[in-house]
């Protein structure tokens, strides 16, 4: 038999964002109209940020106006 959506409602729960999305949008808003790549995370070695920086350097050869923005600790 096929379950109806009402049968599943007891198994669904809402998980809200762990941060204020309005505040985050202020941080990453594009105030100067330049395109950007957004990194969300920490600056720990396990995140391999050096790879991101090297990739961005290569990317900027053909997309000079892009910037990197970061959110996190």
């Amino acid at each position: 038999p096929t379950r109806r959506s009402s049968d599943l409602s007891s198994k669904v729960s809402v998980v809200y964002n762990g941060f204020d999305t309005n505040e985050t949008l202020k941080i990453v808003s594009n105030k100067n109209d330049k395109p950007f790549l957004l990194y969300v995370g920490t600056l720990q070695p396990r995140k391999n940020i050096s790879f991101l920086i090297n990739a961005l350097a290569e990317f900027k050869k053909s997309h000079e106006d892009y910037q990197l923005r970061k959110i996190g600790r």
Side-chain angles (χ1 to χ4, degrees), residues 19-31 71:
F19 58 92
D20 182 352
T21 54
N22 291 325
E23 192 64 30
T24 303
L25 291 175
K26 289 179 193 174
I27 293 169
V28 298
S29 67
N30 208 358
K31 296 175 185 170
I71 296 177

Side-chain angles (χ1 to χ4, degrees), residues 7-23:
D7 296 336
L8 298 176
S9 63
S10 65
K11 296 184 178 194
V12 174
S13 61
V14 176
V15 178
Y16 295 97
N17 288 324
F19 58 92
D20 182 352
T21 54
N22 291 325
E23 192 64 30

Side-chain angles (χ1 to χ4, degrees), residues 27-44:
I27 293 169
V28 298
S29 67
N30 208 358
K31 296 175 185 170
N32 58 9
D33 295 325
K34 288 188 176 184
F36 62 90
L37 301 172
L38 178 64
Y39 169 77
V40 180
T42 66
L43 293 178
Q44 296 176 357

Side-chain angles (χ1 to χ4, degrees), residues 46-58:
R46 65 186 173 89
K47 296 293 187 172
N48 200 8
I49 303 302
S50 60
F51 181 82
L52 174 62
I53 300 299
N54 290 332
L56 180 62
E58 189 66 30

